[in-house]
């Protein structure tokens, strides 16, 4: 069965610093991978997705992620964060029935 | 961009009461999902629905839960006798037959069981 692991439950970072949110997945087949963001009291918004092709995927709000098959990772990065990036970030994988399997989430806390 | 609409945004109910959460998927979509997120926890799959029947359901989706597409536009989740532990944010999602990887989520219904 597929699973998604986000090792960091919370990542504090200062404004304008770079950040990396880690995600590892387990799968023996091709996967579709996603990052979603959830701002306080809001729903899920798609940041970016990897389906195939280039392993570096660019998303909204300056985020990008790199698919690494050998390390089964799909880490999310941003070179310079803003206060407004404070949110919960969920990594997800889509299984063969097109169902999303979510990680436990990482709370990004950006401090001034 | 088209949207999935969920109503109500907040629902408060007494333990043991029945609740119905409503969703209007995107009009030409054929696959529908319910997920839930208990406060502070991850988003969990509940059920998927296609062609007027359940395609897949999780262990969470027990006999207290049911889903229905009562007409051509709505997709509902019913909880027959709510428990305190049903308190969560419930998300509806839908997708089309083309672009199968693209799941559109609604903004959620926050259910509070007292």
């Amino acid at each position: 069965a597929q699973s998604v692991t986000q090792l960091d439950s919370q990542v504090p970072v200062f404004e304008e610093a770079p950040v990396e949110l880690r995600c590892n997945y387990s799968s023996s087949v091709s996967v579709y991978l996603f990052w979603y963001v959830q701002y306080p009291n809001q729903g899920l918004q798609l940041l970016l997705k990897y389906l195939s092709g280039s392993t570096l995927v660019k998303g909204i709000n300056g985020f990008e992620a790199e698919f690494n098959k050998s390390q089964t990772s799909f880490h999310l990065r941003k070179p310079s964060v803003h206060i407004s990036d404070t949110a919960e970030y969920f990594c997800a994988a889509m299984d063969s029935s097109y169902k999303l399997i979510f990680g436990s989430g990482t709370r990004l806390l950006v401090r001034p | 961009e088209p949207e999935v609409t969920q109503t109500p945004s907040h629902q408060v109910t007494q333990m043991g009461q029945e609740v119905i959460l409503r969703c209007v998927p995107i009009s030409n979509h054929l696959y529908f999902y319910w997920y839930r997120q208990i406060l502070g926890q991850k988003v969990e799959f509940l059920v998927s629905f296609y062609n007027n029947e359940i395609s897949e359901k999780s262990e969470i989706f027990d006999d207290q839960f049911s889903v229905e597409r009562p007409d051509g536009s709505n997709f509902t989740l019913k909880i027959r006798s709510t428990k305190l532990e049903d308190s969560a944010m419930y998300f509806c999602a839908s997708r089309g037959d083309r672009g199968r990887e693209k799941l559109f989520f609604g903004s959620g219904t926050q259910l509070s069981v007292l």
Side-chain angles (χ1 to χ4, degrees), chain B residues 75-92:
Chain B
F75 178 52
T76 61
L77 174 69
K78 182 194 288 187
I79 308 175
R80 290 191 184 82
S81 178
T82 50
K83 308 185 196 74
L84 295 176
E85 54 264 37
D86 293 327
S87 294
M89 177 74 88
Y90 288 81
F91 292 106
C92 173

Side-chain angles (χ1 to χ4, degrees), chain A residues 73-109:
Chain A
S73 67
F74 189 56
H75 300 333
L76 181 71
R77 301 186 186 102
K78 187 169 181 179
S80 175
V81 294
H82 302 289
I83 297 284
S84 58
D85 291 322
T86 293
E88 189 88 20
Y89 291 80
F90 292 96
C91 183
M94 186 167 272
D95 70 9
S96 56
S97 65
Y98 296 96
K99 175 173 90 256
L100 280 175
I101 310 296
F102 285 88
S104 53
T106 296
R107 178 159 179 75
L108 176 63
L109 183 59

Side-chain angles (χ1 to χ4, degrees), chain B:
Chain B
E1 189 167 69
E3 289 184 344
V4 174
T5 306
Q6 288 186 246
T7 55
S9 56
H10 292 86
Q11 174 92 45
V12 180
T13 189
Q14 296 291 326
M15 191 169 58
Q17 295 295 304
E18 173 184 286
V19 294
I20 297 177
L21 308 183
R22 302 182 192 280
C23 169
V24 179
I26 293 169
S27 62
N28 60 348
H29 283 185
L30 302 175
Y31 300 84
F32 313 112
Y33 303 81
W34 283 101
Y35 288 79
R36 80 170 185 190
Q37 184 186 25
I38 294 172
L39 184 64
Q41 298 185 26
K42 68 177 176 181
V43 179
E44 302 172 290
F45 168 77
L46 290 178
V47 66
S48 58
F49 190 87
Y50 170 73
N51 199 25
N52 284 321
E53 58 183 34
I54 290 173
S55 311
E56 188 175 352
K57 59 183 181 179
S58 71
E59 292 175 351
I60 304 166
F61 195 89
D62 61 23
D63 292 343
Q64 292 297 315
F65 291 89
S66 62
V67 289
E68 193 179 31
R69 191 156 160 79
D71 53 43
S73 59
N74 289 284
F75 178 52
T76 61
L77 174 69
K78 182 194 288 187
I79 308 175
R80 290 191 184 82
S81 178
T82 50
K83 308 185 196 74
L84 295 176
E85 54 264 37
D86 293 327
S87 294
M89 177 74 88
Y90 288 81
F91 292 106
C92 173
S94 70
R95 68 172 175 88
D97 201 36
R98 303 179 77 177
R100 292 185 175 192
E101 79 290 346
K102 194 164 185 182
L103 218 57
F104 289 79
F105 281 88
S107 55
T109 293
Q110 180 66 55
L111 176 65
S112 298
V113 182
L114 305 179

